Amino acid sequence: ISQRRAFEQALKESEEFANSVLSSSPDCIKVLDLSGRILRMNDPGLKVMEIDDFSTVQDCLWTSLWSLEMQQTVLDAVAGACSGQAVHFQGQTATQKGTLKWWDVVVAPILGLNGTVQTVQSVHSVQRLVSVSRDMTAQHEVFQALTEREAELREAHETQRHFVNDLAHELRTPLTAISGNLELILRYPHMTPEDRNEALGEALGESQRLGRLASDLLGLARGDAGVELERSELELRPLLLEAWKETGRLSRGHTLEL
């Protein structure tokens, strides 16, 4: 009799300790039967799941608390725990009051609750399941924000790369024209004044074009810095004639129409 009382006292103390642990954990801890029905849930779990009355979920299938997209994952986790494995997954579902949250979940077997710990088989038999769900909504939102920021930075880097390539092309064209005309003057010192003036005029025009490119780049930099840019009307005819002349020089042997 004394041994029985000692066993009952130890069992009572063990249950009180277990209840204290469950109440102290901020996670949502649920005890499930082998079919996945909810037998018990700790008070912090009820709070984080926004459940005012445990009787509304008691004996309900745990899968019913999850969205349709997650229910197969939950079923697989229950099956894995029933086979003696600890299963981990993450997913999103709403609380009883409809608040969407992200959860980090571990489902594990509880062994040997039948009290007959006399054989190896009884010690390792799965009697119940325990599910520990941690609210990781805040961490997920931070991770999502970092992921979006990374995508924005990657897009900005790609835009910058294209801009540098385009800028290099725009700078190369007038520099090539200036170099070509100056080289022509040096190579043929006895060219006619008309040809020399034409070569010098083209070199001067391309150097002015470089100046305009530099001004445009300065304007872009000011715009990025938040400086309000002045708007003015642009005469298209000189711009089109300049583009026509430049294109004609670069596309000799081809017919151009404007």
Side-chain angles (χ1 to χ4, degrees), residues 112-225:
L113 287 185
N114 52 14
T116 57
V117 287
Q118 298 177 356
T119 66
V120 175
Q121 182 177 2
S122 63
V123 171
H124 293 285
S125 61
V126 178
Q127 302 296 317
R128 295 285 187 271
L129 307 177
V130 60
S131 164
V132 181
S133 304
R134 175 163 295 181
D135 181 5
M136 55 173 294
T137 305
Q139 296 92 319
H140 180 81
E141 290 176 350
V142 171
F143 176 77
Q144 187 68 23
L146 290 175
T147 301
E148 293 175 357
R149 181 57 178 166
E150 181 184 6
E152 292 174 358
L153 291 175
R154 190 181 298 110
E155 183 179 357
H157 175 74
E158 188 67 16
T159 301
Q160 183 184 44
R161 187 180 67 83
H162 286 300
F163 174 76
V164 171
N165 289 338
D166 294 340
L167 177 61
H169 174 73
E170 290 295 327
L171 292 175
R172 186 183 300 113
T173 301
L175 288 174
T176 300
I178 293 172
S179 176
N181 282 291
L182 294 178
E183 183 179 353
L184 184 65
I185 294 173
L186 291 175
R187 182 176 297 180
Y188 301 102
H190 303 295
M191 67 171 51
T192 64
E194 292 79 5
D195 292 338
R196 180 184 296 271
N197 289 338
E198 182 179 358
L200 289 174
E202 290 184 359
L204 178 61
E206 294 300 330
S207 67
Q208 293 172 344
R209 179 181 175 187
L210 283 175
R212 290 193 298 272
L213 283 174
S215 298
D216 291 342
L217 289 175
L218 181 60
L220 288 175
R222 289 175 176 173
D224 291 339

Side-chain angles (χ1 to χ4, degrees), residues 35 44 58 99 115 137 149 247:
S35 64
Q58 188 175 14
T99 304
T137 305
R149 181 57 178 166
T247 306

Side-chain angles (χ1 to χ4, degrees), residues 78-92:
V78 170
C82 287
S83 67
Q85 304 174 11
V87 183
H88 171 260
F89 68 89
Q90 294 182 346
Q92 185 184 42

Side-chain angles (χ1 to χ4, degrees), residues 12-77:
K12 180 180 179 181
E13 292 177 355
S14 176
E15 290 178 350
E16 291 176 351
F17 177 76
N19 291 334
S20 175
V21 171
L22 290 176
S23 299
S24 300
S25 174
D27 299 326
C28 179
I29 302 177
K30 297 169 287 295
V31 177
L32 313 173
D33 65 14
L34 299 187
S35 64
R37 294 186 179 276
I38 301 173
L39 303 179
R40 185 177 179 182
M41 186 182 300
N42 65 338
D43 290 338
L46 293 172
K47 183 178 180 180
V48 75
M49 284 294 297
E50 298 183 328
I51 299 173
D52 296 328
D53 185 0
F54 174 64
S55 63
T56 59
V57 296
Q58 188 175 14
D59 294 326
C60 292
L61 287 172
W62 183 37
T63 52
S64 65
L65 273 60
W66 289 88
S67 61
L68 292 176
E69 295 79 5
M70 288 297 302
Q71 287 185 4
Q72 187 58 51
T73 300
V74 177
L75 287 173
D76 293 341

